[in-house]
Amino acid sequence: MNKKIMKKYLTIILITFLSFSTFSQNSETAKKYLDDILKKVESYENISIDFKYSLINEEENISQSYKGNVFLKKEKYLVNLLGITNLFDGEKLYTINSEDEEITISNASDEDDNINNPSKMLSFYKEGFTYIWDKKLPINGRQIQYIKLIPIDSNSDDKH
């Protein structure tokens, strides 16, 4: 094989290898960062989180955003979103709809607990996602590090 062609192939192989190596390091760095944050948050007695929920459906031309908040104390929580308050005391879930003047009380079940429990929302990334160490941007005078979470299941509706 010609030296020039051989050099070209070696360069392509080296670039490919370095790309995979960098992706792997970035992925490990992102996971460690998320794990460190989760460990710190779990050490708190309680926590309050303000969030924005967005629904975007390009096919139906729908784009809506709603603000909410959640207060957590271990497995107990209070969530306010879309005018509905959900209060979980560790045994029962109280769903309060002020507009309809209605309160629904239900027993906790393990199945529902895993799906809707906001105390799990900070650890959801542990299963079913790959991580990418993304850009760092200044927001309100602070440097914010972004991490992209990509569902391993390409048919998943989750996008974070």
Side-chain angles (χ1 to χ4, degrees):
M1 201 181 259
N2 184 332
K3 267 187 156 181
K4 198 173 190 180
I5 294 173
M6 182 68 111
K7 187 175 181 182
K8 198 181 244 184
Y9 283 129
L10 285 174
T11 303
I12 291 171
I13 290 171
L14 181 61
I15 289 172
T16 303
F17 176 73
L18 288 174
S19 296
F20 284 127
S21 175
T22 301
F23 176 78
S24 175
Q25 287 175 342
N26 285 341
S27 177
E28 290 170 20
T29 302
K31 183 172 184 336
K32 182 180 179 334
Y33 195 73
L34 290 169
D35 288 343
D36 289 347
I37 290 169
L38 180 61
K39 185 177 179 181
K40 182 164 182 103
V41 168
E42 288 178 336
S43 73
Y44 297 145
E45 183 68 26
N46 53 51
I47 188 168
S48 168
I49 302 170
D50 293 323
F51 62 91
K52 183 172 89 172
Y53 170 77
S54 297
L55 171 65
I56 300 170
N57 182 334
E58 293 173 356
E59 291 176 9
E60 300 294 326
N61 198 26
I62 297 171
S63 179
Q64 302 170 333
S65 291
Y66 307 97
K67 291 184 178 181
N69 56 35
V70 61
F71 302 92
L72 300 168
K73 183 173 184 177
K74 303 299 177 199
E75 294 299 315
K76 299 175 183 178
Y77 60 84
L78 174 74
V79 177
N80 295 300
L81 178 64
L82 297 170
I84 306 290
T85 299
N86 288 299
L87 171 67
F88 181 67
D89 66 4
E91 294 179 20
K92 295 191 182 287
L93 175 63
Y94 303 84
T95 303
I96 305 163
N97 183 334
S98 300
E99 186 175 312
D100 294 340
E101 297 179 355
E102 179 179 276
I103 298 176
T104 306
I105 302 171
S106 56
N107 290 321
S109 72
D110 290 338
E111 186 178 311
D112 290 340
D113 191 43
N114 287 331
I115 296 170
N116 299 315
N117 189 339
S119 64
K120 308 266 191 258
M121 73 183 199
L122 298 174
S123 61
F124 76 93
Y125 70 90
K126 289 185 170 202
E127 293 181 21
F129 293 94
T130 57
Y131 318 95
I132 296 177
W133 189 259
D134 203 18
K135 58 191 165 203
K136 192 176 210 177
L137 296 174
I139 297 179
N140 296 331
R142 299 177 71 190
Q143 289 292 320
I144 305 298
Q145 176 63 57
Y146 286 82
I147 296 173
K148 283 188 182 178
L149 301 179
I150 301 166
I152 292 171
D153 176 4
S154 62
N155 295 322
S156 173
D157 289 334
D158 288 338
K159 302 263 188 281
H160 302 281

